[in-house]
Amino acid sequence: MNSPKPPFPASLNSLDDLIAAGLAPADQAQDLAQVAERFRIRITSEMAGVASAAVAAQFLPDAQELNIRPEEMADPIGDTAHSPTYGLTHRYPDRVILAATHACEVYCRFCFRREVVGANAALPADDMSAALDYIAATPAIWEVILTGGDPMSLSPRRIESIMARLSDIPHVQIVRLHTRVPVVAPQRIDAAMIAALRARPTVYVGVHTNHADELTPAARAALRRIADAGIPMVSQTVLLRGVNDNAATLETLFRALLTLRVQPYYLHHCDLAQGTSHFRTTIAAGQAIMAQLRGRMSGMGVPTYVLDIPGGFGKVPIGPDYLQQGAAGYVVTDWQGNQHIYRDPE
Ligand code: SF4
């Protein structure tokens, strides 16, 4: 990591804030104003203070976002196609996504929900009640995933009250919070937040982080506080061109996460959100990186590379494939690229 920058305000929420802080070039103000009109801007002081191009690219607006390609969509993973009540997505039988808030501590420039984040803050009480009633009336729902928006941008009191409602529903066994907060706003992980997370039912935290430069000393301390509270953590990372699209960068991130007791879980292929083509790699490039990772580190640190099929058809692993059916049996490729034959017993 490079040396830190001087302190910034707690949160920078507009293009003017960024220009005043020297984080956006004044001579591009006209183009960037068009970006800001379309997609919200916010960066925390924690991330603004990291002198890293890989971090800046994720949060600072770029005129390339004005390039909306025909294949890009407002709702690339099809949340609304599977929404029984406002704020709830029920795509798979055993789990739902509950968008408890549309607010985030940062607005990531590649976000697949960039058209909706920041629109209204917390889910209105009536919609929250309707969502919880639906969950209570649907016994197949075993897991509730709080996302949004970033659920940890809510107050601990609000999180605790959602947890309390969910703990009254016997078939809900797991609650997972997907969040950027421990990394981008680590000061929010205080005793009250930990207490809210320790409520029943079993809670997992899914930490979104894309580069080891994000893991500041304060972020690492926040992750340790969560782990020390006995709350299991997994990570999700988005594969981003120019940010983390090489095996060495991802290896550094995944090794750091393992030492912080965060299990690397998903590497997402960058979704077809509008104005994000400059971040997107090819799937072949992603598979090549995954193949290199497999040889460089233990399987414990290698996440599953996944694609959310555009249109709302769900998430699938996208390789690389190590096993193919051949005439003489299976052809298995090892981590060095050598092929071997494996036959099932008769
Ligand atoms: S924190 Fe998550 S939901 Fe919010 S803008 Fe970033 S990627 Fe999107």
Side-chain angles (χ1 to χ4, degrees):
M1 195 189 302
N2 303 320
S3 54
K5 293 179 190 168
F8 291 98
S11 179
L12 299 120
N13 297 309
S14 68
L15 181 58
D16 287 346
D17 286 353
L18 295 183
I19 290 174
L23 292 170
D27 60 353
Q28 291 179 27
Q30 213 172 339
D31 281 349
L32 294 180
Q34 287 182 55
V35 175
E37 255 173 49
R38 184 83 201 264
F39 304 115
R40 284 169 184 80
I41 289 173
R42 179 176 288 166
I43 182 170
T44 57
S45 61
E46 189 68 26
M47 289 298 100
V50 178
S52 158
V55 172
Q58 295 181 58
F59 304 116
L60 301 181
D62 190 304
Q64 293 180 93
E65 294 172 54
L66 298 171
N67 174 22
I68 313 278
R69 295 185 51 87
E71 69 274 16
E72 293 177 337
M73 303 175 218
D75 178 19
I77 73 163
D79 281 344
T80 48
H82 298 274
S83 183
T85 68
Y86 182 69
L88 199 67
T89 302
H90 193 182
R91 195 187 326 268
Y92 306 99
D94 73 324
R95 52 204 185 273
V96 286
I97 293 170
L98 176 56
T101 177
H102 284 133
C104 301
E105 295 293 314
V106 287
Y107 290 122
C108 310
R109 307 323 297 169
F110 51 85
C111 176
F112 64 92
R113 294 206 179 98
R114 62 188 326 208
E115 310 278 343
V116 293
V117 288
N120 304 301
L123 192 62
D126 287 356
D127 292 316
M128 179 60 82
S129 281
L132 291 167
D133 288 348
Y134 176 90
I135 294 169
T138 313
I141 297 172
W142 181 80
E143 181 179 22
V144 174
I145 301 162
L146 295 181
T147 178
D150 194 320
M152 280 205 203
S153 66
L154 294 169
S155 68
R157 187 185 52 76
R158 179 84 64 129
I159 292 174
E160 215 159 352
S161 92
I162 297 169
M163 294 296 185
R165 288 284 309 270
L166 291 171
S167 69
D168 287 340
I169 304 174
H171 50 266
V172 173
Q173 296 288 302
I174 301 276
V175 178
R176 200 175 352 141
L177 290 95
H178 277 221
T179 181
R180 270 277 218 189
V181 163
V183 171
V184 303
Q187 76 285 354
R188 291 187 65 83
I189 309 300
D190 57 11
M193 185 65 87
I194 294 289
L197 295 180
R198 290 180 84 171
R200 297 282 169 201
T202 302
V203 168
Y204 278 70
V205 170
V207 182
H208 175 174
T209 178
N210 301 320
H211 196 287
D213 285 357
E214 295 166 30
L215 302 174
T216 62
R220 288 170 189 251
L223 292 170
R224 286 194 190 99
R225 284 196 289 281
I226 297 172
D228 287 347
I231 298 164
M233 287 182 283
V234 296
S235 72
Q236 49 178 3
T237 295
V238 184
L239 182 61
L240 298 168
R241 184 145 62 94
V243 172
N244 61 10
D245 60 333
N246 63 80
T249 297
L250 289 174
E251 179 186 349
T252 304
L253 172 64
F254 298 146
R255 285 191 192 278
L257 288 171
L258 283 177
T259 65
L260 292 161
R261 291 169 283 172
V262 182
Q263 169 87 57
Y265 177 42
Y266 276 149
L267 177 67
H268 295 269
H269 191 71
C270 185
D271 291 307
L272 294 172
Q274 297 195 328
T276 62
S277 59
H278 54 295
F279 282 119
R280 206 166 299 114
T281 67
T282 61
I283 287 179
Q287 289 177 328
I289 291 168
M290 288 298 294
Q292 289 174 47
L293 280 174
R294 184 64 63 187
R296 291 169 79 119
M297 61 189 305
S298 83
M300 196 165 73
V302 181
T304 305
Y305 180 35
V306 291
L307 173 73
D308 251 301
I309 304 171
F313 301 100
K315 217 181 258 98
V316 287
I318 51 172
D321 294 329
Y322 294 91
L323 187 72
Q324 256 125 35
Q325 184 74 58
Y330 292 110
V331 180
V332 192
T333 306
D334 68 26
W335 65 278
Q336 292 174 302
N338 302 314
Q339 295 194 321
H340 312 269
I341 298 292
Y342 178 90
R343 293 184 193 88
D344 281 328
E346 288 293 320

